[in-house]
């Protein structure tokens, strides 16, 4: 759920920057949750306990495969340091 919200913001910012500069911008969203990254990169499928996130899952996958937004692992310690 948090990744979906972050990708919505990233897509909006990317669109705004693209409109203002007439160039495409590479966006990377850093995540500290490995299962989330594996789901987003289709390393295992949605089933059972994850069915409730199906719509968000499809949005995330679309952003990664068609819109060029990347996700990358960041250690939790570094992630906490960035938010403080």
């Amino acid at each position: 759920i948090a990744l979906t919200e972050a990708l919505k913001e990233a897509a909006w910012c990317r669109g705004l920057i693209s409109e203002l500069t007439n160039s495409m911008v590479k966006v990377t969203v850093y995540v500290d949750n490995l299962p989330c990254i594996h789901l987003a990169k289709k390393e295992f499928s949605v089933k059972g306990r994850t069915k409730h996130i199906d719509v968000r899952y499809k949005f995330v996958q679309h952003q990664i495969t068609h819109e060029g937004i990347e996700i990358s692992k960041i250690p939790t310690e570094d992630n906490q340091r960035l938010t403080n």
Side-chain angles (χ1 to χ4, degrees):
I1 293 172
L3 178 59
T4 304
E5 294 304 315
L7 287 178
K8 285 181 190 177
E9 292 290 325
W12 184 86
C13 289
R14 183 176 182 223
L16 178 64
I17 292 169
S18 295
E19 265 187 51
L20 294 174
T21 63
N22 268 347
S23 63
M24 294 304 288
V25 178
K26 178 183 170 189
V27 176
T28 302
V29 176
Y30 294 97
V31 182
D32 67 349
N33 184 331
L34 273 178
C36 179
I37 293 171
H38 292 306
L39 266 176
K41 292 184 176 180
K42 298 182 181 182
E43 292 174 8
F44 59 84
S45 62
V46 174
K47 56 185 164 188
R49 294 182 181 184
T50 55
K51 278 206 178 231
H52 65 285
I53 61 168
D54 191 45
V55 173
R56 287 185 168 104
Y57 168 76
K58 288 180 180 172
F59 171 78
V60 168
Q61 290 212 331
H62 176 78
Q63 292 297 310
I64 292 169
T65 57
H66 295 91
E67 301 298 325
I69 294 177
E70 296 179 8
I71 60 171
S72 183
K73 172 76 171 122
I74 187 170
T76 302
E77 301 80 28
D78 294 343
N79 195 22
Q80 290 172 345
R81 188 176 35 190
L82 290 174
T83 59
N84 291 332

